[in-house]
């Protein structure tokens, strides 16, 4: 949904005050958004907490501030359709204008040895994704994707559902974030088309796999384990079951709850290992960030 459309919907529903959540990269647009909302008779409250995804739905905070609705910018519901909000939520995806057309020759060269290609995108690059699909088809490639083709950092179902049909994957995105996540789940080569940098390259997961294997070994030898629980609405998982499973391995488990994990909040904790039950990217991208080794619970129990 575009911002103007969301505002019209809010007006038609009589929304008077809205809680605005947005990712770090769109904070510079905050004042522009505030002005537009105010011109339309809606009072905005800007959340200064960074919103990393649709998992972060702050309806409790919004209600505390007497807001009638949430304006969730930079994301859509994908992967979190099951989340129930106490107030209406209006998602504005904030699509990039980049068409990706400058990268087509590079894509053709990178994928020249493959005929059947699984192609997926992160939400901002939907337009570039559509252009790449058309381009690959015009080059007589067979193109596959599940659902809309969208992926997020913790949900690759639209790629994995077509894995059996493809020889490789292409992720249309910016940076490596989404492509690394897929490469760690899929058993096929993964390329990224970084629309912002206009680069196409293959993802190498060897460094991540080595650290994960090392951290698993540390977990096996650990006596005192911290269980990381994210309390963002879409990140809450059944931690009691995981705690019991770890305890059954003869380990002492400490439940550690947080909104956003930072190095400073772990200072002073004498733990051998951390098991991550919050956002799965903490135990993917941030493996070298913390002094205590981190392992994802799925790397132990799946
Ligand atoms: S759980 Fe992590 S990867 Fe998934 S939407 Fe939330 S912040 Fe993004």
């Amino acid at each position: 949904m575009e911002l103007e459309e969301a505002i019209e919907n809010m007006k038609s529903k009589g929304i008077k005050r809205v809680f605005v959540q947005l990712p770090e990269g769109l904070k510079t647009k905050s004042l522009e958004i505030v002005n537009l909302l105010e011109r339309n008779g809606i009072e905005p409250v800007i959340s200064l907490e960074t919103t990393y995804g649709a998992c972060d739905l702050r309806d409790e905070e919004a209600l505390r501030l007497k807001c009638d609705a949430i304006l969730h910018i930079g994301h859509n519901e994908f992967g979190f359709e099951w989340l129930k909000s106490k107030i209406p939520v209006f998602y504005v995806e904030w699509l990039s204008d980049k068409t990706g057309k400058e990268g087509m020759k590079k894509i053709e060269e990178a994928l020249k040895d493959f005929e059947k290609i699984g192609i997926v995108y992160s939400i901002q690059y939907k337009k570039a994704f559509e252009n790449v699909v058309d381009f690959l088809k015009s080059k007589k490639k067979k193109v596959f994707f599940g659902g809309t083709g969208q992926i997020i950092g913790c949900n690759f179902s639209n790629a994995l559902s077509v894995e059996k049909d493809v020889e490789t994957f292409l992720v249309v995105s910016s940076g490596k974030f989404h492509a690394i996540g897929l490469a760690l789940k899929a058993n096929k080569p993964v390329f990224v088309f970084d629309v912002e940098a206009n680069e196409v390259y293959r993802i190498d997961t060897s460094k991540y796999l080595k650290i994960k294997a090392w951290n698993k070994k540390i977990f096996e030898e650990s006596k005192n384990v911290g269980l990381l629980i994210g309390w963002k609405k879409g990140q809450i998982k059944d931690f009691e079951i995981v705690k019991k499973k770890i305890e059954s391995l003869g380990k002492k488990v400490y439940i550690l709850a947080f909104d956003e994990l930072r190095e400073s909040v772990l200072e002073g904790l004498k733990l051998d290992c951390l098991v991550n039950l919050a956002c799965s990217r903490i135990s993917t991208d941030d493996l070298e960030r913390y002094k205590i080794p981190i392992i994802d619970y799925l790397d132990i129990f799946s």
Side-chain angles (χ1 to χ4, degrees), residues 51-56 75-76 78-80 152-156 177-178 232 234-235 237 278-282 285:
T51 304
Y52 294 99
C55 63
D56 195 356
H75 307 108
N76 60 8
F78 178 71
F80 293 93
I152 55 175
C154 56
N155 188 329
F156 305 96
F177 176 84
H178 293 88
K232 289 184 201 298
Q235 290 187 16
K237 298 189 185 80
C279 168
S280 56
R281 301 310 296 236
I282 292 173
D285 309 83

Side-chain angles (χ1 to χ4, degrees), residues 201-262:
Y201 54 91
R202 187 171 168 176
I203 294 293
D204 178 7
T205 55
S206 53
K207 181 183 99 176
Y208 297 89
L209 294 173
K210 263 187 221 155
I211 301 175
K212 275 172 175 278
W214 179 252
N215 288 0
K216 190 169 182 184
K217 184 105 185 65
I218 292 176
F219 168 77
E220 283 161 6
E221 292 164 3
S222 294
K223 290 194 170 55
N224 295 312
V225 173
L227 185 56
L228 298 176
I229 314 287
W231 67 54
K232 289 184 201 298
K233 196 163 177 137
Q235 290 187 16
I236 296 279
K237 298 189 185 80
D238 202 343
F239 60 87
E240 283 125 332
I241 292 177
V242 178
K243 181 173 182 271
K244 278 192 188 127
K245 279 189 180 176
I246 302 174
E247 284 170 342
S248 73
L249 300 172
K251 301 177 193 302
K252 169 76 185 159
V253 181
Y254 299 84
I255 297 172
L256 308 173
F258 55 90
D259 191 306
E260 185 174 341
L261 193 64
R262 300 177 305 280

Side-chain angles (χ1 to χ4, degrees), residues 9-16 68:
N9 282 348
M10 282 191 263
K11 280 163 67 177
S12 72
K13 289 187 165 52
I15 304 295
K16 295 275 178 261
D68 311 312

Side-chain angles (χ1 to χ4, degrees), residues 270-285:
K270 292 196 172 52
L271 296 167
D272 306 317
C273 186
L274 299 168
V275 174
N276 179 33
L277 207 56
C279 168
S280 56
R281 301 310 296 236
I282 292 173
S283 38
T284 305
D285 309 83

Side-chain angles (χ1 to χ4, degrees), residues 17-246:
R17 183 183 291 167
V18 69
F19 190 75
V20 183
Q21 291 190 247
L22 70 182
E24 200 66 34
L26 291 176
K27 284 266 169 72
T28 52
K29 306 283 181 194
S30 305
L31 301 187
E32 193 184 307
I33 294 165
V34 163
N35 291 337
L36 193 57
L37 286 163
E38 284 179 347
R39 276 206 299 279
N40 282 278
I42 300 170
E43 184 182 25
V45 175
I46 302 274
S47 168
L48 290 181
E49 300 298 334
T50 299
T51 304
Y52 294 99
C55 63
D56 195 356
L57 193 61
R58 305 268 178 165
D59 55 345
E60 310 270 355
E61 290 88 338
L63 275 171
R64 256 178 255 148
L65 295 165
K66 300 190 178 124
C67 295
D68 311 312
I70 292 174
L71 180 59
H72 216 288
I73 294 186
H75 307 108
N76 60 8
E77 263 184 307
F78 178 71
F80 293 93
E81 293 84 351
W82 52 274
L83 271 185
K84 298 268 177 283
S85 173
K86 293 178 179 166
I87 51 176
V89 186
F90 298 86
Y91 292 95
V92 171
E93 288 97 348
W94 211 279
L95 302 186
S96 164
D97 288 333
K98 301 250 178 185
T99 62
K101 292 209 165 142
E102 322 75 56
M104 299 301 173
K105 282 275 159 234
K106 291 179 182 174
I107 292 171
E108 189 177 9
E109 175 59 25
L111 301 181
K112 64 180 186 308
D113 296 330
F114 303 101
E115 290 306 316
K116 298 176 200 163
I117 298 160
I119 173 164
V120 288
Y121 66 97
S122 61
I123 189 64
Q124 266 70 49
Y125 299 98
K126 190 174 182 203
K127 286 179 196 159
F129 159 80
E130 287 165 352
N131 289 332
V132 176
V133 168
D134 289 345
F135 173 76
L136 290 173
K137 283 183 178 169
S138 77
K139 296 292 168 188
K140 309 287 179 238
K141 303 277 188 189
K142 291 203 173 81
V143 170
F144 299 82
F145 54 88
T148 58
Q150 186 189 346
I151 56 172
I152 55 175
C154 56
N155 188 329
F156 305 96
S157 54
N158 281 339
L160 299 175
S161 63
V162 297
E163 186 171 12
K164 62 181 184 326
D165 305 313
V166 306
E167 296 158 353
T168 189
F169 284 108
L170 178 68
V171 176
V172 181
S173 187
S174 76
K176 295 181 191 171
F177 176 84
H178 293 88
I180 286 172
L182 175 58
L184 286 168
K185 297 272 179 205
N187 292 310
K188 301 280 167 74
V190 173
F191 289 79
V192 60
F193 171 31
D194 182 336
V195 182
E196 295 296 338
N198 191 27
E199 287 175 352
V200 184
Y201 54 91
R202 187 171 168 176
I203 294 293
D204 178 7
T205 55
S206 53
K207 181 183 99 176
Y208 297 89
L209 294 173
K210 263 187 221 155
I211 301 175
K212 275 172 175 278
W214 179 252
N215 288 0
K216 190 169 182 184
K217 184 105 185 65
I218 292 176
F219 168 77
E220 283 161 6
E221 292 164 3
S222 294
K223 290 194 170 55
N224 295 312
V225 173
L227 185 56
L228 298 176
I229 314 287
W231 67 54
K232 289 184 201 298
K233 196 163 177 137
Q235 290 187 16
I236 296 279
K237 298 189 185 80
D238 202 343
F239 60 87
E240 283 125 332
I241 292 177
V242 178
K243 181 173 182 271
K244 278 192 188 127
K245 279 189 180 176
I246 302 174

